[in-house]
Amino acid sequence: AEVFTPTPEVVESTPTLPDTKTPSVTFSSDQLSLCFSYPQGFAQIPDIETVEIMGPELSGTDLRGIFWLELSDAYDRTADVIADQEMTYANGLEVGKWTVTLDGENAVVLDGMPGQDLQRRVYVVHQKTLYILAFMPTRSENPTANDQMESLYAAIVDSWRWSPCSTGE
């Protein structure tokens, strides 16, 4: 008599992404004049020179959502002027451009900027300092890495505050 052995089902597992409506980890720095929240499950990479937040590892890929912050002198330029100057590095890439407000300051977003992976960069000038918020990967073929980056972007941009930050943040 034949014995029937069922073929095991392949169940794909998608990591649970953090809920951007309730960011739970706060980064605050009076020295950098800012604070923001990012989703639980993401981790700040310890480094004295920069602020970098990285998403949880995704199985089967080395991609994951990443945020880092760059600061420099704005040299009396606006975020709009700086973003237009940065567009010259896009060399034929189709870069999306829109505006957002970070705690009362107008900011310009460029989506699809070149780098290790395509990046979304937010340019904002506050008290003569240029803040560049960089998020990657954007436009990735890996939808989970994209979702992770979008979750991180939404949490940080929606919660961004200039110092002094309230004690509840």
Side-chain angles (χ1 to χ4, degrees), residues 14 17-18 20 42 137 142-153:
T14 303
L17 294 174
T20 60
F42 286 68
N142 182 318
T144 306
N146 267 345
D147 289 348
Q148 215 182 59
M149 186 281 299
E150 290 292 349
S151 175
L152 188 56
Y153 169 81

Side-chain angles (χ1 to χ4, degrees), residues 106-133:
N106 291 327
V108 178
V109 180
L110 298 180
D111 187 62
M113 292 296 287
Q116 179 180 343
D117 291 301
L118 291 180
Q119 303 171 11
R120 178 176 298 162
R121 294 186 182 177
V122 180
Y123 300 85
V124 61
V125 175
H126 179 70
Q127 297 178 349
K128 299 186 180 187
T129 299
L130 168 63
Y131 294 77
I132 301 175
L133 292 64

Side-chain angles (χ1 to χ4, degrees), residues 12-15 17 56-66 117-118 136-151:
E12 288 191 25
S13 171
T14 303
L17 294 174
E57 286 188 27
L58 302 173
S59 62
T61 181
D62 60 348
L63 286 177
R64 61 174 102 178
I66 299 173
D117 291 301
L118 291 180
M136 66 179 248
T138 188
R139 302 180 184 182
S140 171
E141 291 180 12
N142 182 318
T144 306
N146 267 345
D147 289 348
Q148 215 182 59
M149 186 281 299
E150 290 292 349
S151 175

Side-chain angles (χ1 to χ4, degrees), residues 18-90:
D19 182 1
T20 60
K21 292 179 178 61
T22 56
S24 59
V25 180
T26 299
F27 174 86
S28 181
S29 171
D30 288 334
Q31 181 181 4
L32 299 176
S33 300
L34 60 89
C35 57
F36 59 83
S37 296
Y38 56 93
Q40 185 172 15
F42 286 68
Q44 181 180 347
I45 306 304
D47 187 334
I48 298 169
E49 303 284 321
T50 63
V51 176
E52 186 173 349
I53 310 293
M54 186 172 287
E57 286 188 27
L58 302 173
S59 62
T61 181
D62 60 348
L63 286 177
R64 61 174 102 178
I66 299 173
F67 160 77
W68 70 94
L69 178 66
E70 300 174 21
L71 280 76
S72 62
D73 191 316
Y75 297 107
D76 294 322
R77 299 173 297 164
T78 65
D80 222 5
V81 167
I82 294 166
D84 286 344
Q85 291 170 343
E86 291 282 305
M87 287 280 288
T88 62
Y89 300 115

